[in-house]
Amino acid sequence: KNNSISEIWKKINQSKKILMSLHSGPDGDSFGSCTAMKYVLEKELKKVSTKYGEEKTMKVNESMQTMFQ
């Protein structure tokens, strides 16, 4: 069973810190949706961290990588 949007938002509102995980080798869609969600969550005063790829194989355009620092 999938959670409803209201259930998910309730859990987000109860959290102070949120970790968002992107798939390994993220593409523009992945970065774009993550950036938008990070913006929304930070407006709600949440501490947002992101994680993507595998440490040994991560090769991401440097300008995109800085969006998540």
Side-chain angles (χ1 to χ4, degrees):
K1 175 185 174 247
N2 292 328
N3 297 78
S4 68
I5 291 175
S6 61
E7 290 172 319
I8 294 167
W9 195 248
K10 182 179 177 182
K11 191 65 170 175
I12 288 171
N13 282 327
Q14 294 170 348
S15 303
K16 293 179 184 175
K17 297 179 183 177
I18 297 171
L19 173 66
M20 294 192 301
S21 175
L22 288 77
H23 59 76
S24 183
D27 55 10
D29 288 341
S30 183
F31 276 114
S33 59
C34 188
T35 301
M37 188 63 172
K38 185 175 189 275
Y39 175 81
V40 169
L41 294 173
E42 287 176 341
K43 289 290 183 186
E44 296 291 321
L45 304 177
K46 305 297 180 187
K47 172 72 175 150
V48 181
S49 300
T50 57
K51 172 80 173 141
Y52 56 94
E54 296 178 25
E55 296 297 325
K56 295 179 184 175
T57 60
M58 207 173 7
K59 292 183 180 179
V60 179
N61 181 310
E62 193 173 340
S63 63
M64 295 187 97
Q65 192 173 12
T66 59
M67 290 190 304
F68 298 102
Q69 295 178 354

